[in-house]
Amino acid sequence: MGALISMEMISVALRTLRHRKAAFAGAFVALFCAAALVCACGMLLDTGLRGSVAPERYAGAPVIVTGDQFVHQTVRKSEEKTKTKAKQLSEQAWVPASLADRLRRVPGVARVVTEVSFPAYVAGRRFQGHGWESAALTPYTLRTGRAPKAEGEVVVEAASGLSVGARVPVWTAAGSRTYQVTGVTAQDLPSQDTLFFATAEARRMAGRAGQVGAIGVFPGVDVSGVLKGALAYTGDERGAAEFLGAEKARVKLISLGGALGGTALLVAILVVVGTFALSIQQRQREIALLRAVAATPRQVRGMLGGEALLVGVVAGTLGSAAGVGLGFWLRSRFVALGAMPENLRLVVSPFPMLAALGAAVLAAWAAAHLSARRAVRIRPVEALGEAELPAARVPVGRLVAGLLCAAGGVVLTLVLSALTTEAASSPLTLLTALVWTVAVSLLGPVIARTATALLGVPLRAARTAGYLAGAGLRATSKRLASVVTPLSLMVAMTCTILFVQTTMGHAAQEQATAGTRAEHVLGPHVPSGTAAAVRGLPGVEAVTEVLRTSVRVGLDKYGAQAVTADGLGRTMDLDVVAGSLDRLDDGSVAVSRTAAERLGVSAGAKLRLTLGDGTPAELRVVAIYSRGLGFGDLTLSHTLVAGHVDDPLGTVLVAAPSVTRADLERAAPGVGVLDRAQAVEAGAANAEVNYVAMGLIIAFTAIAVVNTIAMSTSSRSRELALLRLVGTTRRQVLRMLSLETLVAVGIAVALGTGIALVTLAAFSTGMTGSVVPHIPPLTYLAVIAAAAALALLATALPARLVLSRRPVELIGARD
C-alpha cells in the first residue's frame, strides 16, 4: 500500500479533499461508524478473553477451594497427540465435607471455614442463604444483635432495613417458615443479598448431606496435594469461584463479540466499498481529465489511495474513540438485561482501538482500490466518454464475481438448512444473508437495468415527474444500483435478525401451548410442601413439579426439564413418537427427536450424561418425543435432578378443570397462579440481548442508507439546475426524485425480502423442521415503512438544500 502512495500523491489528495468535502463526507461517516462498531465489539471480545471479577463474599479468605466447575473430555487427534477440552457446568459443583478435615491437616493451615449456599426467597425477592460459620470468608461482623444459634433465627444485612426482633417469612427448598432476626451485619455486598442462618439449619435447608459448596483456607498456603476433584483459587480467581455466572458471561461475550465484530466488519466493507464506488462514479469526469493530461494509472491510483488513507485515518481515529463509549453503553445494557454481572469489569486496552483504526484504514484503501480499477485502467478517450454517458456494459469480472457469490449463497443456504443447533446456525444465518447481499451488490447494475425496464413503462405513462423519473433511472442504472445496495442490505439484515428470533420463539411457544394440558401453573419458585398441599385439594386430578436445568452429553450442552412422573400425561403432552413416558424414573431419560438424531440414540439405548453440577449419570432412553423446542431436549426424573441444581424451587403444573384460581391461591398463599396461556407466555425466551447487539448492525445499515442516498442526491446539482432552467418547477423536480427513490425502495424491498426469506426458510428448516418462518405482518410492514421513510428523508433534505440555490450558481459550482 505504501509503495502506491507517495508523498506527492498524499499532497495532491490533501488538496483534493479540501475542495471536495461533500464527496468524502459520506465515506467518512461510513468509516467512522465502522470503526466505532469494530472497537466496541473488540472491547466485548477482550473482556471475554481477559476480564476478571473481584471477589466479594470470599474477599477475606486467602484460598478458596470449590468443586471443578468444568466437564472435561480428552480428544485423540492422532496416535501421539491428544487434547483435553473443557466446558463449564450450569450449576455449582459441590465437594465432600470430609475435604475440610484433610485441609486442616495440611502443614501451615491455621483455620478452615466451610460454606453452604442455597436460594432463599423473601416476598418474591431472592437472597443467598448461608450458615453463619461462613461469615468469616468475607468477613462479616455484627453491627447489632448476635449470631443465629437456633433453627428459627436469622441474621440480615444492614441494607435490608430490618432490625433485631423482626420476623421474616422465608421460602427455601426445605419449605416455608418465619424466622426471627437476631442480628444485623455491619457490611453489605454490592451485588448479592445475603441471609445467615444457624449452621445446622443452613445445611438442612441446602439439602446436600455430607457436602459443602466452598471451603476457605487460612492462611494462603499450597493445598493442591490433598485436592481430588476440587480446585483451589487465590487472588482474583476467587471471584470466578464466587460468581459462576461471570464465567458464563465471559464465554457469551467471546462468542457475541466475535460474531458481532465479524458481521460488523463484513457489513462495513460492503458499505464502504459502495460509498467509495459512488464517490468515484461522481468524479469520473475529473479522473478522465487527469488521464487525458497524461496522468498515469499509477498516479491516479496513488491519489485515490492517498485520499482513502487520509479519510480512513481520521475517521478510524475518531470512530475508535467513540467505540470506547459505545462499548461501555453495550455493557450497561447487558448488565441491565442480566446477561452480564455488574462486577465483571470491562477491559479497556489499546488493542480494540488499534484494531478498529487498522480495519478502517484497510477498508478505506481496499474500497478505493477496488472502486477505481476500471476508472484508472481504461484509455483517456473512453474515460471521457463514460463520464458523459456511463457504459451500459457491466464488466465481465464483476458478473463472474456476482455469480460466484450467488453460488456461495446457495451452498451456505443448504448447509444452514441442515443445522439443528442454535449455536451453530446463528452465526451462519447472518453470514448467509451477507453473502446473498454481496451477490446482489455485484449484480446490482444488471438488476437495476432490468427493473427500470419493467417499471419504466408505467412511469413514462405518468405526468411530467413520472416521465422524468423514468428517463433518469433508465440513463443512470449504475447510480440506482448504488442506492439499492444499502437499502436491500438494511431490509435483509433487519428482517433476518428480527425474524430469526420470532421464528424460534413462535415454534417454541406453539409446542408449549400444544403440549401444556394443565389448567393452572404455580410459580415461578414454589416451596416443596406446596405441591403436596395442592394434591390434597378436591377436584385436583394431577400435579407435576417441574425444574429447568441443562446437562452435558460429552461437551455438548442440552436444555433439560425434570418432572415428577405421576400423572404426567394429564398435565403435559410431549408428543411421544417412540417408547413411553410411563417408565420414566431416576434411571431413565426421555429425549427429543432432534437431540436423539444428533446423539444417535433410540428408545432402549443407554445415554451417558453429566448433570448440571458435574455428577455423571448413565440413563436408559425410555421415550423419544417431538416437542423439544417447547419443553427442552431432555426430560429427566424430578427426584434425580432436584439434588443437583442450585435452585430446586421450580414450577408446578396443576390439572384441575373444576378448581378456580382463588381456590389455589388459598391453598398456596403467596405463590403466583397462572392459567395455561399466561404460563406459556411467561416462559417465552427473552431475546433482548440479541436485539441490543444486532441492533447496532441495523443502525449501521440505516446510517449507510441515509448516507448513500444523500450523496447520490447532492451530486446531481447540475442535473437539477438544468431541469429548472428548461422550465421544470421545483415541485416537479422533488416529485421526480421521490418517485426515483420509491422505485429504489421497491427494488430493495423485493431483493432484501427475498434474501431474508431464503435465509430464514433454511434456518427454520433446520431448527424447527418447518420451511415456513414466522414473520409477524405488522413488524414486517414497520421495517418496510422505516426503510421508505429513511430513503425519502435522505432524498428530500439534500434536494431541498440544492434547489434553494439559484440554477446558475449550481451549474457554475464545482461540487
Side-chain angles (χ1 to χ4, degrees), residues 120-141:
Y121 294 88
V122 178
R125 179 179 170 187
R126 176 167 173 157
F127 287 75
Q128 202 66 19
H130 306 286
W132 179 249
E133 62 175 345
S134 63
L137 299 176
T138 307
Y140 273 99
T141 59

Side-chain angles (χ1 to χ4, degrees), residues 74 97 206 222 255 298 383 387 393-394 406 441 455 476 533 545 569 672 684 700 751 810:
T74 301
D222 182 11
S255 61
R298 182 187 181 91
R393 185 173 61 86
V394 179
S441 174
L455 296 172
T476 56
E545 298 174 66
F700 181 40
L751 293 172
L810 294 173

Side-chain angles (χ1 to χ4, degrees), residues 362-386:
L362 186 61
W365 182 83
H369 183 73
L370 290 171
S371 304
R373 289 184 65 186
R374 175 168 173 78
V376 301
R377 283 184 177 181
I378 62 174
R379 291 179 298 175
V381 175
E382 292 177 351
L384 285 169
E386 286 195 12

Side-chain angles (χ1 to χ4, degrees), residues 34 110 135 157 196 218 267 344 410 412 426 610 664 720 740 776:
E157 288 184 310
F196 287 104
F218 300 81
V267 171
L344 177 57
V410 171
L412 288 174
S426 291
T610 304
L664 290 172
L720 301 183
E740 290 180 2

Side-chain angles (χ1 to χ4, degrees), residues 90-92 94 117-119 126 173 206 208 547-551 560 562 611-613 615 638 640-650:
S90 59
E91 315 283 353
Q92 182 182 7
W94 289 49
S117 299
F118 53 92
R126 176 167 173 157
R208 298 288 191 106
L547 287 175
R548 297 285 180 178
T549 184
S550 64
V551 302
L611 297 176
D613 66 345
T615 303
H638 188 277
L640 170 67
V641 173
H644 302 280
V645 294
D646 295 341
D647 190 351
L649 278 70

Side-chain angles (χ1 to χ4, degrees), residues 295-656:
T296 65
R298 182 187 181 91
Q299 289 173 324
V300 175
R301 192 182 297 114
M303 179 192 73
L304 295 173
E307 294 169 356
L309 179 64
L310 290 170
V311 174
V313 167
V314 176
T317 302
L318 296 176
S320 58
V324 175
L326 184 60
F328 276 99
W329 179 83
L330 271 176
R331 178 191 178 276
S332 69
R333 294 307 308 142
F334 290 163
V335 169
L337 293 171
M340 183 176 176
E342 173 66 37
N343 50 357
L344 177 57
R345 297 183 290 262
L346 192 68
V347 174
V348 181
S349 71
F351 301 113
M353 297 182 69
L354 292 174
L357 175 59
V361 171
L362 186 61
W365 182 83
H369 183 73
L370 290 171
S371 304
R373 289 184 65 186
R374 175 168 173 78
V376 301
R377 283 184 177 181
I378 62 174
R379 291 179 298 175
V381 175
E382 292 177 351
L384 285 169
E386 286 195 12
E388 295 301 325
L389 186 62
R393 185 173 61 86
V394 179
V396 175
R398 181 168 182 163
L399 280 174
V400 172
L403 292 174
L404 287 175
C405 280
V410 171
V411 172
L412 288 174
T413 302
L414 292 174
V415 172
L416 182 61
S417 65
L419 297 178
T420 57
T421 62
E422 199 168 358
S425 62
S426 291
L428 193 63
T429 302
L430 292 176
L431 180 60
T432 303
L434 271 176
V435 170
W436 277 114
T437 305
V438 172
V440 166
S441 174
L442 291 169
L443 300 174
V446 177
I447 297 170
R449 195 176 301 124
T450 304
T452 51
L454 295 173
L455 296 172
V457 176
L459 283 173
R460 285 195 298 272
R463 294 179 138 188
T464 305
Y467 179 84
L468 290 173
L473 290 170
R474 209 165 46 251
T476 56
S477 58
K478 188 181 289 187
R479 183 173 64 203
L480 174 63
S482 67
V483 172
V484 165
T485 296
L487 268 170
S488 59
L489 175 65
M490 177 184 170
V491 173
M493 294 299 291
T494 304
C495 288
T496 302
I497 290 168
L498 289 177
F499 301 140
V500 157
Q501 305 297 334
T502 59
T503 297
M504 285 296 292
H506 180 72
Q509 199 162 355
E510 272 196 330
Q511 289 189 10
T513 301
T516 302
R517 289 184 169 181
E519 285 76 22
H520 306 283
V521 178
L522 309 184
H525 306 289
V526 183
S528 59
T530 302
V534 171
R535 282 191 181 95
L537 285 178
V540 171
E541 299 178 0
V543 172
T544 301
E545 298 174 66
V546 182
L547 287 175
R548 297 285 180 178
T549 184
S550 64
V551 302
R552 290 198 181 269
V553 180
L555 295 180
D556 295 330
K557 186 176 181 179
Y558 291 86
Q561 65 171 356
V563 299
T564 50
D566 187 27
L568 181 62
R570 180 62 186 84
T571 59
M572 188 183 298
D573 178 13
L574 301 181
D575 191 19
V576 174
V577 295
S580 172
L581 287 171
D582 294 338
R583 293 176 290 169
L584 184 67
D585 55 27
D586 291 358
S588 61
V589 60
V591 184
S592 73
R593 182 162 49 191
T594 303
E597 291 172 357
R598 198 155 66 236
L599 294 168
V601 298
S602 58
K606 292 287 186 178
L607 180 64
R608 290 185 176 89
L609 53 83
T610 304
L611 297 176
D613 66 345
T615 303
E618 184 178 29
L619 306 175
R620 184 181 73 261
V621 178
V622 295
I624 307 294
Y625 56 91
S626 66
R627 292 182 174 139
L629 285 176
F631 295 93
D633 280 321
L634 276 70
T635 297
L636 302 142
S637 163
H638 188 277
T639 54
L640 170 67
V641 173
H644 302 280
V645 294
D646 295 341
D647 190 351
L649 278 70
T651 58
V652 174
L653 308 183
V654 182

